[in-house]
Every structure is written in structure tokens, then in C-alpha cells.
Amino acid sequence: MCMKYYAVEYTYRSDADVAATRPAHRKYLASLRDQGKLLGGGPLIDAAASALLIFKASDEKDCEEMIGKDPMQTEGVMEYYSVTEWNPVTRDFDVES
């Protein structure tokens, strides 16, 4: 099966308790990473209450299903998200802090 890459950008609801949901969200993302389904993710700098996730999925529906199980979605923290198929030219996500 040919896997595709998807960039998911999402924003939080302004009244959401993001901090309360974050531990479950990160645990869920770690499980996807361990399965090879999540390549990276994190908050967008200079973009209020938003983040970017890079998924590896068989199709957009598969990606949408992963988002649908994210605690940020199931707990109603996400206000909006977009899914865009991505064609990575490079795949190096190692960053020095």
C-alpha cells in the first residue's frame, strides 16, 4: 500500500482548557509516532493557539480518522483543522535546541 503524507493544521477554541487535555493528547500522539503514523508535530510559532502535525496515512480518510481519535478533538478543544496532502522533499525532522 502506498502511504501518503498529510499536513494537519489546527486551532484551539479560545475558551478550551488546552492544558487539561494536553497529557492525553501527547500520549495519543506518542502512540501514533511509535506506529510510524506521525512524523512530527508541535505548536506554530507566532500563530495564536495553533499547531501542525505531519501524518503518514494510506489516504485522507485514514488521516481524518486519526484526528477524530485525538483527545484534542474528542474533548472539543479543536476549533478548526485542515488536512492537506504533502509531498516531502526532505524528511529530516531532527532539530537542535
Side-chain angles (χ1 to χ4, degrees):
M1 176 180 296
C2 180
M3 299 299 278
K4 299 176 181 180
Y5 298 90
Y6 295 90
V8 175
E9 184 176 347
Y10 65 90
T11 57
Y12 304 119
R13 284 190 2 250
S14 61
D15 62 340
D17 188 352
V18 176
T21 308
R22 188 172 284 124
H25 167 68
R26 288 187 175 166
K27 183 177 180 180
Y28 175 68
L29 293 182
S31 74
L32 293 177
R33 182 195 62 230
D34 292 347
Q35 296 172 55
K37 296 178 179 182
L38 178 70
L39 299 180
L44 293 169
I45 307 302
D46 297 332
S50 63
L52 177 71
L53 301 170
I54 304 294
F55 289 99
K56 189 174 181 182
S58 57
D59 55 31
E60 189 171 333
K61 180 182 176 195
D62 184 29
C63 184
E64 293 267 357
E65 287 174 4
M66 287 185 274
I67 297 163
K69 294 176 184 174
D70 186 327
M72 290 294 187
Q73 178 72 344
T74 62
E75 297 300 316
V77 175
M78 280 187 201
E79 179 173 56
Y80 166 83
Y81 72 87
S82 65
V83 177
T84 306
E85 189 173 348
W86 180 52
N87 181 20
V89 176
T90 63
R91 297 181 191 155
D92 186 2
F93 290 95
D94 294 332
V95 179
E96 290 186 30
S97 347

